Amino acid sequence: MTIGFRILNRERVASKELVDAFAKLPVANVSDSMSRMTAAGPTLRPMHSSGGMAGVALTVKARPGDNLMLHKAIDMAVPGDVIVVDAGGDLANALMGELMLAYAIKRGVVGFVLNGAIRDLDNFRETNLPTYAAGVTHRGPYKDGPGEINVPVAIDGMVIHPGDIVIGDSDGVLSVPIDGAEEILKATEAKSAAEIKQMAAIEAGTNDRSWVDRALIARGCILPDA
């Protein structure tokens, strides 16, 4: 094995049933149910027009500005994959553009998470395949490597393992580990149900706000007389 050139198979992937269940939930609620400890950072923003993303991670570790291994990952992709690329967040060179996007759509890729830049932004918006990236530049990539496929990658502290669930919406991107996914799903569904009830109470004018004063008093705040 040449150091820095490594392509592995995924040992396991999250089930389609779990992916479909997470696809129905807001990313913010999933994040809250993971104790707000995990995030890909605020720099990864939607480059498509609208809509959410849910799939299983096919991971790529790439040299900044180089897309050789991203090309190979698209060749390897199966329907339902989200290709996650850690390219160091460098914005000098785009990792992909409209041609690679078109090929990925043909392969059944359901989204991209790119810690780097794209080009042909109008095409990403028109095709509307969920894509999250750190920026846009017209300058194209190198194709020399090194890089690795299906290894753990980290983006702004969020670790993504091959086969993990990757979700996204207008708030950003989140990876849900296979281990613990069912527990996180149950917690998120309960939180979403509670928020629906709270929204109904707001509309009805019966929302209980007493917790705000209790929190302030517990912290020593002196409240004015009513």
Side-chain angles (χ1 to χ4, degrees):
M1 179 186 71
T2 302
I3 295 175
F5 284 90
R6 184 170 54 147
I7 298 174
L8 306 177
N9 291 317
R10 289 179 290 198
E11 296 181 359
R12 57 180 182 155
V13 298
S15 69
K16 184 179 184 302
E17 291 74 19
L18 272 175
V19 172
D20 289 346
F22 276 101
K24 302 173 184 176
L25 300 169
V27 171
N29 285 6
V30 181
S31 178
D32 286 352
S33 298
M34 295 173 67
S35 297
R36 303 166 184 166
M37 292 288 290
T38 302
T43 59
L44 294 185
R45 304 310 305 159
M47 298 295 167
H48 56 292
S49 298
S50 63
M53 174 183 73
V56 295
L58 194 168
T59 61
V60 180
K61 194 177 180 101
R63 181 171 70 92
D66 191 288
N67 74 355
L68 177 61
M69 284 298 182
L70 175 53
H71 273 281
K72 180 60 179 176
I74 299 175
D75 286 341
M76 294 171 60
V78 298
D81 280 347
V82 172
I83 298 181
V84 181
V85 183
D86 174 20
D90 181 76
L91 303 181
N93 299 83
L95 295 174
M96 62 178 290
E98 62 177 333
L99 295 178
M100 294 175 71
L101 178 62
Y103 178 48
I105 292 171
K106 285 290 186 182
R107 296 288 301 171
V109 173
V110 298
F112 284 94
V113 178
L114 306 168
N115 193 17
I118 63 164
R119 65 178 179 179
D120 302 324
L121 176 60
D122 288 344
N123 191 259
F124 278 84
R125 290 173 174 166
E126 181 180 348
T127 58
N128 203 33
L129 182 78
T131 300
Y132 297 80
V136 180
T137 180
H138 57 77
R139 190 159 60 179
Y142 302 103
K143 295 176 172 59
D144 303 308
E148 298 182 326
I149 296 176
N150 283 329
V151 297
V153 298
I155 300 175
D156 205 12
M158 183 176 74
V159 178
I160 306 101
H161 289 85
D164 281 349
I165 300 166
V166 183
I167 57 176
D169 60 20
S170 56
D171 285 337
V173 174
L174 182 64
S175 176
V176 180
I178 297 176
D179 295 325
E182 291 187 2
E183 181 181 355
I184 294 167
L185 176 62
K186 290 178 182 177
T188 307
E189 289 174 335
K191 178 175 178 58
S192 295
E195 287 193 355
I196 291 173
K197 290 182 179 179
Q198 185 177 358
M199 185 63 75
I202 291 172
E203 292 295 327
T206 60
N207 190 35
D208 182 6
R209 301 290 297 168
S210 61
W211 69 269
V212 178
D213 284 353
R214 290 198 302 271
L216 290 168
I217 292 169
R219 288 157 177 79
C221 182
I222 299 175
L223 300 178
D225 294 333

